[in-house]
Amino acid sequence: MDVKIQLSKWSKKRPQFIIAIILFSGIILIASTVPKKTSKGVITRVVIDAGHGGKDPGNLGTGRNKVTEKTIALNVSLKVGAYIKEAFPDVEVYYTRDDDTFIPLHERTKFANTKDADLFISIHCDAFTRESAKGTGTYVMGAAKTEANLRMAQKENKAMLLEENLDENYGGFDPNSPEGLIELSLRQNAHIHQSLKFAKEVQDQMRDRVGRIDRGVRQAPYWVISFTTMPSVLVELGFLTNKEEEDFLISDQGQDYTASAIYRAFKTYKTTMEILDEAQPEKVENDKSKEAIQPNSETNTPKGVIFKVQLLSSSAKVELKPGNFKGLENVIEYEDNGMYKYLYGSTSTYEGAKNLQKGARQSGYKGAFVVAFDEHNNRIALEKALKLTN
Ligand SMILES: [Zn+2]
């Protein structure tokens, strides 16, 4: 009831809202933080991706109901699409699935890329071992900051284990391997700024208009938003392992409200992007040749992070000469908790460090591994270093 009142207030707030957008855009332009224009600002095509389907039920929730994640994801997806079509007849809406069918993850991304969509919205529901976990979270691609985010992405990526020809379709990516996830985290998307912008709109709407607990915009290596070539987000509507949220998300009203929140986020995003596009002094013709991976513009200024390869750890000091390190040069020593650690090479990128590690392993240091240091030469977690250089 409470939510309904808020919803009806929405239309009355519209003029102020448009003014707010214009002011907001002005501030952005003055601050000249407008992301480099990499796609057309006009949003005409959207792909909505209902998670799971067919033989993949998604998460089973509390187990009190027959309805699982796949059904809620589909219902909400179809509602989002219907709202968009109704309000914007010129926008083409495509679904990766519009019925209870199993669609491999790689086909979902391929579908969106083939359609040359301007926005990709993947819809899922969360689950956790503790019933108390609840709230809505919206994800964009990137390295996970927390174990929980990583765990969630890993869980969703495992849908591919139900597919055939894994090697062929995923280039040997193993959803169970931590290294695979790190490499997935390193993928760059030219549209990360737009993805973050849309993700924030979704979270704002879910919190302010539907009263959902805001778990924030997060980054995690979800496969399905890492291989699309347009702004892409994955919405975890809520936790089906929480009774209250499961009841809400199974209800028609809950599905309506969450779908309309995503629709309103779309409307705001579309309006903002088009105002920004209008404000561009030079119109750049889009040649449709979007690329999945762009070189990371920040790679050259990695905020002081240095990657090295640890060869060995010893309680006794080892003289620093190549003869003592299987011929490897540029080895340095540092003391840590009474142990002498010997590090090889130095590079500002993780890719570079992986090459150094390969060299060290070929020289005979089978257990050589990559370590990272911050600008003050303090050892930092690899995950944090990737975050800083990403
Ligand atoms: Zn899911």
Side-chain angles (χ1 to χ4, degrees):
M1 192 58 205
D2 194 20
V3 179
K4 227 171 198 163
I5 293 164
Q6 287 183 334
L7 283 174
S8 62
K9 274 185 194 164
W10 169 251
S11 52
K12 288 176 197 150
K13 280 191 180 166
R14 206 160 160 246
Q16 291 96 309
F17 177 67
I18 297 290
I19 291 166
I21 288 179
I22 293 166
L23 288 174
F24 177 62
S25 326
I27 291 163
I28 289 181
L29 285 173
I30 290 162
S32 66
T33 51
V34 181
K36 196 171 178 296
K37 196 168 150 70
T38 48
S39 70
K40 55 186 182 285
V42 181
I43 314 294
T44 55
R45 266 174 242 163
V46 56
V47 168
I48 304 173
D49 174 51
H52 313 278
K55 64 183 172 185
D56 174 10
N59 87 66
L60 307 179
T62 61
R64 295 172 304 154
N65 303 283
K66 281 206 178 107
V67 177
T68 68
E69 181 186 357
K70 69 171 181 179
T71 309
I72 297 169
L74 178 62
N75 292 352
V76 172
S77 293
L78 295 176
K79 282 175 192 281
V80 173
Y83 285 134
I84 293 176
K85 278 191 216 171
E86 194 189 330
F88 301 102
D90 294 340
V91 172
E92 297 164 42
V93 176
Y94 299 99
Y95 303 99
T96 53
R97 68 179 181 98
D98 57 7
D99 59 16
D100 186 19
T101 312
F102 177 79
I103 312 279
L105 291 182
H106 69 95
E107 278 183 22
R108 295 168 191 256
T109 54
K110 203 169 125 193
F111 176 79
N113 296 345
T114 308
K115 293 289 178 209
D116 197 17
D118 302 306
L119 185 63
F120 179 81
I121 310 169
S122 189
I123 297 177
H124 288 253
C125 302
D126 228 326
F128 195 53
T129 44
R130 267 200 332 269
E131 203 214 303
S132 56
K134 56 180 172 178
T136 304
T138 303
Y139 290 81
V140 302
M141 66 178 293
K145 262 188 199 156
T146 68
E147 196 59 39
N149 296 353
L150 196 65
R151 172 193 56 78
M152 201 56 225
Q154 198 164 18
K155 200 152 164 277
E156 299 285 14
N157 290 341
K158 279 182 185 170
M160 66 176 67
L161 295 175
L162 297 169
E163 301 173 26
E164 283 156 16
N165 305 325
L166 265 194
D167 260 15
E168 195 182 306
N169 293 323
Y170 297 95
F173 174 76
D174 173 5
N176 287 313
S177 122
E179 285 215 332
L181 279 176
I182 286 179
E183 263 152 45
L184 194 54
S185 304
L186 287 170
R187 286 186 68 84
Q188 296 291 319
N189 186 297
H191 310 288
I192 189 76
H193 295 287
Q194 290 102 312
S195 303
L196 286 167
K197 191 187 263 294
F198 179 65
K200 189 177 178 304
E201 294 300 341
V202 173
Q203 284 305 112
D204 288 354
Q205 290 290 341
M206 289 284 189
R207 183 193 59 237
D208 298 343
R209 306 274 163 182
V210 198
R212 301 287 89 199
I213 289 168
D214 183 2
R215 294 175 67 84
V217 174
R218 298 164 175 223
Q219 281 186 291
Y222 284 93
W223 203 92
V224 79
I225 48 170
S226 297
F227 286 84
T228 44
T229 53
M230 72 280 317
S232 304
V233 305
L234 187 146
V235 186
E236 297 278 6
L237 297 171
F239 285 76
L240 301 185
T241 41
N242 176 279
K243 283 180 189 157
E244 196 189 318
E245 289 205 335
E246 187 185 46
D247 288 345
F248 178 72
L249 289 170
I250 280 178
S251 74
D252 209 37
Q253 193 187 52
Q255 293 176 3
D256 265 343
Y257 285 0
T258 48
S260 64
I262 297 171
Y263 154 70
R264 283 192 303 272
F266 172 81
K267 187 165 108 172
T268 307
Y269 174 77
K270 179 173 159 61
T271 313
T272 312
M273 293 314 286
E274 288 171 5
I275 289 172
L276 286 175
D277 189 54
E278 283 282 303
Q280 293 285 330
E282 268 178 57
K283 284 247 176 188
V284 182
E285 198 62 41
N286 185 283
D287 63 2
K288 298 250 168 194
S289 62
K290 297 178 184 177
E291 283 183 21
I293 307 174
Q294 294 259 321
N296 183 357
S297 60
E298 288 176 359
T299 306
N300 298 328
T301 52
K303 301 173 194 86
V305 173
I306 293 293
F307 296 95
K308 292 172 178 294
V309 172
Q310 184 164 323
L311 301 175
L312 62 95
S313 178
S314 161
S315 55
K317 229 171 158 48
V318 180
E319 198 191 331
L320 292 174
K321 56 179 185 185
N324 286 342
F325 295 96
K326 303 186 198 292
L328 292 174
E329 292 177 3
N330 300 322
V331 175
I332 61 155
E333 171 194 276
Y334 90 104
E335 246 187 287
D336 181 28
N337 279 331
M339 296 292 283
Y340 297 100
K341 297 190 171 170
Y342 294 89
L343 308 174
Y344 164 62
S346 183
T347 169
S348 58
T349 65
Y350 180 70
E351 291 89 338
K354 289 291 279 186
N355 282 333
L356 287 170
Q357 181 193 37
K358 211 167 154 188
R361 287 186 173 175
Q362 278 163 0
S363 300
Y365 288 103
K366 298 291 176 215
F369 57 93
V370 176
V371 291
F373 295 84
D374 68 11
E375 74 247 49
H376 308 296
N377 270 332
N378 293 317
R379 172 94 184 262
I380 54 172
L382 201 53
E383 192 69 33
K384 187 181 172 191
L386 290 173
K387 191 81 211 155
L388 288 170
T389 52
N390 220 351

